[in-house]
Amino acid sequence: ACWLPLHSMLLLMGRQMSSDAPLCVNSVDLETPPPPPMLFCKTKLLFYIGNLPSWLQGTLLRNGPGIFSVGDTTYNHWFDGMALMHSFTFKDGEVIYRSRYLRGDTYKDNMAAKRIVVSEMGTMAYPDPGKNVISRVITFLNHTVPDFTDNCGNNFIRYGKDYYATSETNYIRKVDPVTLETQDKVDYMKYLAVNLVTSHPHYDKDGTAYNMGTSIAEKGKTKYTLFKVPDTTAGALKNLEVICTVPCRSLLSPSYYHSFGMTDNYFIFIEQPFKLDILKMATAYMRGVNWASCLKFFPEENTLIHLIDRKTGKEVGIKYYTEAMIVYHHVNAFEEDGHVIFDVIAYEDPSLYNMFYLNVLKEQSKTSAMSVPKCKRFALPVQTDKGIDVGDDMVKLQYTTASAVKEKEGKLLCQPEVLCDSVELPRINYDFNGKKYRFVYMTCVAMTAVATKIMKLDIETKERTEWSEENCWPSEPVFIPRPNGEGEDDGVVLTTVINSNPGESGFILVLDAKSFKEVARAYMNAELHMDMHGYFIPMEN
């Protein structure tokens, strides 16, 4: 097979291309069988500028789409591309880079058929016109009650001692974090009746992982399930425990969510009016539309905020709600003076997803229709509202303008404080997860969905410190704390950078987290790809 590199990332970066530029990046020619399952790339970095900190020891895993065309078929959406995993191993002042395609069932089936045969959220796969009627019927039935893809190209998560590539379906793929070898296919349904699961779990200091998923029409009920996986030996999912369930307000239209919040004592779940219509999903294949078209935003409905006690597994007595919004990423949450404070990146509409259709990415230099993402802070009073007059604001914190006004007994209307805007992919010092914090690191997305800068936000002073470079596009910034460091921002920030300057290659950038000044960069002698999320594994792990 011939692996064609990304077309300098120009298409995915939204830059204007010539009319003869290929729409399909990383296409696969399948006139010959696929190559054996070997490393796609393993290399030391080409050269360095600056010096890597001696204490920086460990591996940064990153995940994202890497193949967008198989044979003469093409994915419609950037999120749908077949997963390409990356690792950057820091040791003794050097970096070793590896990348490898996730060789799951989706990858194998597509390669064997020499075309895309497994449907993704934004791309419905149809059988080869030459297939017989029986094959067509089987394909139809598989899409009526969908068996989702195991193309896990969104993130990496850890359960116990095992690491998994993940998306948001009921399938995850165990991977070797050193070689990036694809290992076991794991179905959440074997342990818990969930059809969709987030790829952003939380972790306690003891290593216990917390996550949530959606059970669709299970025993006649659609519900959201919070669960935990203790940090045990390999195979920790066998010890999965359900913490609680939250009934869905619409039986056949569960809310879409990508993450949730957690403090020392509470979980925060946002049930937003961005819903997946299950009946439409069952008929999507027959109607010739993709599953993403079955997601609908209802701007006239409220967003419900569920505050759940971690010890009892029950919601608190007060009902919280705010106006319609769409949240993909929680930033952090903490408790103070009888309040739960949480920060999120919020949108006014679902236009972000549409911006990542490949044909739209190609035209982003000409038009932009994405609503501006805002970092919003909410404050939820936990104390009883008895004795509080209707119309009174129950938030008593001096450092935020967020409000929670009593609308009636046991019901509060919450309005956020906007901390900043035009930001996405937030990361923090995870030692401060669930605790009061000051700094957050994010990408800047001003006019397009693709980041042109990364920034550090001081939440107390609202000061923004940015890094950018001409013709460069940085990934999600990942904070790594200095061992025994002093202060929340004592460490470095890692980001991979796509570089389209002539004659220059991509690089991994190391910034001092305090000053946000460059410490070092390591240029690569391999093609870098735009990705989604990452996970850092310290060397001792």
Side-chain angles (χ1 to χ4, degrees):
C2 176
W3 303 102
L4 303 180
L6 282 173
H7 188 70
S8 303
M9 293 305 296
L10 297 182
L11 172 62
L12 298 187
M13 294 301 108
R15 301 181 66 197
Q16 187 170 355
M17 300 177 62
S18 61
S19 60
D20 61 347
L23 176 62
C24 314
V25 290
N26 251 41
S27 60
V28 181
D29 177 4
L30 286 164
E31 291 303 314
T32 55
M38 58 187 297
L39 286 178
F40 173 71
C41 173
K42 176 184 177 182
T43 179
K44 287 190 177 181
L45 277 288
L46 189 59
F47 66 92
Y48 301 85
I49 295 178
N51 296 303
L52 295 172
S54 59
W55 59 263
L56 183 58
Q57 305 277 326
T59 296
L60 174 66
L61 300 176
R62 295 204 60 81
N63 202 353
I67 297 177
F68 297 88
S69 179
V70 182
D72 60 356
T73 57
T74 304
Y75 288 112
N76 298 326
H77 200 279
W78 184 74
F79 293 169
D80 295 343
M82 286 194 286
L84 176 61
M85 304 175 290
H86 312 263
S87 73
F88 300 84
T89 298
F90 297 84
K91 185 178 181 182
D92 301 329
E94 291 189 329
V95 188
I96 292 178
Y97 168 72
R98 295 178 174 89
S99 67
R100 195 170 188 175
Y101 290 114
L102 182 75
R103 287 170 165 83
D105 290 349
T106 297
Y107 176 94
K108 294 175 182 176
D109 290 348
N110 287 343
M111 294 304 180
K114 301 183 181 182
R115 58 185 287 116
I116 297 170
V117 295
V118 180
S119 294
E120 303 289 343
M121 196 67 181
T123 306
M124 192 64 79
Y126 290 92
D128 188 325
K131 292 289 185 181
N132 59 38
V133 174
I134 294 177
S135 296
R136 291 169 177 270
V137 170
I138 292 174
T139 302
F140 171 74
L141 293 175
N142 285 340
H143 285 80
T144 302
V145 183
D147 185 22
F148 289 121
T149 176
D150 70 341
N151 180 31
C152 302
N154 186 276
N155 203 357
F156 290 98
I157 61 177
R158 175 180 56 80
Y159 289 133
K161 308 304 180 186
D162 298 324
Y163 294 88
Y164 299 88
T166 178
S167 57
E168 293 181 313
T169 73
N170 55 297
Y171 292 119
I172 53 179
R173 294 295 312 214
K174 184 180 176 182
V175 297
D176 184 319
V178 177
T179 67
L180 300 181
E181 178 187 359
T182 304
Q183 299 180 336
D184 300 339
K185 180 180 181 179
V186 176
D187 185 353
Y188 278 112
M189 297 282 280
K190 181 178 177 181
Y191 308 99
L192 179 68
V194 285
N195 307 91
L196 304 167
V197 183
T198 86
S199 56
H200 290 285
H202 286 281
Y203 304 94
D204 262 349
K205 291 291 186 183
D206 65 2
T208 299
Y210 299 83
N211 209 344
M212 54 180 310
T214 301
S215 302
I216 299 174
E218 197 260 334
K219 296 182 178 178
K221 297 180 180 179
T222 298
K223 58 189 177 183
Y224 313 105
T225 302
L226 274 155
F227 62 91
K228 67 179 181 179
V229 180
D231 184 16
T232 57
T233 57
L237 277 167
K238 292 183 293 186
N239 300 309
L240 182 151
E241 301 174 29
V242 173
I243 299 171
C244 68
T245 61
V246 176
C248 174
R249 59 173 162 177
S250 304
L251 175 63
L252 293 177
S253 298
S255 171
Y256 170 80
Y257 55 97
H258 187 68
S259 61
F260 63 101
M262 187 177 82
T263 69
D264 288 342
N265 296 294
Y266 297 97
F267 296 109
I268 302 100
F269 167 53
I270 296 175
E271 190 175 12
Q272 53 200 12
F274 188 34
K275 303 178 183 180
L276 183 61
D277 189 314
I278 303 304
L279 294 180
K280 286 185 177 180
M281 194 170 183
T283 60
Y285 180 84
M286 180 177 62
R287 293 183 291 115
V289 298
N290 61 27
W291 287 323
S293 69
C294 305
L295 275 168
K296 186 177 179 182
F297 181 54
F298 296 86
E300 71 281 2
E301 293 187 10
N302 293 322
T303 298
L304 306 183
I305 304 171
H306 299 277
L307 188 61
I308 301 161
D309 189 306
R310 286 179 58 178
K311 295 182 178 66
T312 66
K314 298 183 182 299
E315 287 193 61
V316 301
I318 300 176
K319 302 296 182 184
Y320 309 94
Y321 77 99
T322 189
E323 58 194 29
M325 63 178 183
I326 294 178
V327 170
Y328 298 100
H329 295 113
H330 282 247
V331 182
N332 198 12
F334 60 93
E335 303 166 34
E336 188 170 57
D337 296 336
H339 301 74
V340 171
I341 300 93
F342 70 93
D343 302 334
V344 295
I345 308 298
Y347 294 80
E348 295 177 352
D349 60 47
S351 57
L352 174 69
Y353 183 87
N354 295 333
M355 295 292 283
F356 280 93
Y357 278 102
L358 293 183
N359 62 333
V360 177
L361 280 170
K362 185 177 180 180
E363 300 298 326
Q364 273 192 35
S365 60
K366 300 177 183 177
T367 60
S368 179
M370 184 181 75
S371 68
V372 176
K374 298 177 181 179
C375 184
K376 294 184 176 182
R377 167 162 288 183
F378 289 86
L380 309 180
V382 181
Q383 68 272 22
T384 178
D385 63 341
K386 291 183 178 179
I388 304 296
D389 292 335
V390 171
D392 283 357
D393 181 6
M394 291 183 60
V395 176
K396 306 303 178 185
L397 302 171
Q398 298 301 311
Y399 57 79
T400 181
T401 59
S403 63
V405 175
K406 182 174 180 179
E407 189 174 76
K408 63 180 183 179
E409 201 70 28
K411 187 175 183 180
L412 302 183
L413 171 60
C414 302
Q415 296 291 352
E417 172 189 4
V418 177
L419 301 177
C420 65
D421 61 24
S422 301
V423 291
E424 249 298 356
L425 302 178
R427 296 295 292 258
I428 63 170
N429 180 343
Y430 203 77
D431 290 341
F432 286 76
N433 188 57
K435 297 175 171 55
K436 190 172 184 179
Y437 74 117
R438 181 172 177 176
F439 304 109
V440 55
Y441 310 91
M442 297 178 277
T443 58
C444 302
V445 285
M447 296 302 294
T448 71
V450 179
T452 56
K453 305 175 183 178
I454 55 174
M455 64 165 283
K456 173 186 180 181
L457 174 67
D458 184 329
I459 294 175
E460 290 186 8
T461 66
K462 306 301 188 292
E463 180 183 2
R464 297 170 59 136
T465 309
E466 297 180 349
W467 178 93
S468 65
E469 197 164 294
E470 189 174 2
N471 296 326
C472 289
W473 292 270
S475 69
E476 166 195 62
V478 179
F479 177 87
I480 313 298
R482 182 193 304 271
N484 303 313
E486 298 179 1
E488 180 184 340
D489 58 350
D490 190 358
V492 296
V493 171
L494 304 179
T495 181
T496 57
V497 181
I498 306 296
N499 183 0
S500 69
N501 287 298
E504 298 182 15
S505 62
F507 55 93
I508 185 160
L509 178 69
V510 183
L511 300 177
D512 175 74
K514 282 185 178 293
S515 65
F516 224 55
K517 300 293 185 182
E518 181 172 336
V519 174
R521 66 174 66 184
Y523 284 92
M524 303 181 56
N525 56 3
E527 191 85 35
L528 265 182
H529 296 229
M530 190 167 75
D531 54 28
M532 293 191 189
H533 295 295
Y535 186 99
F536 186 79
I537 307 173
M539 189 65 72
E540 60 266 24
N541 291 357

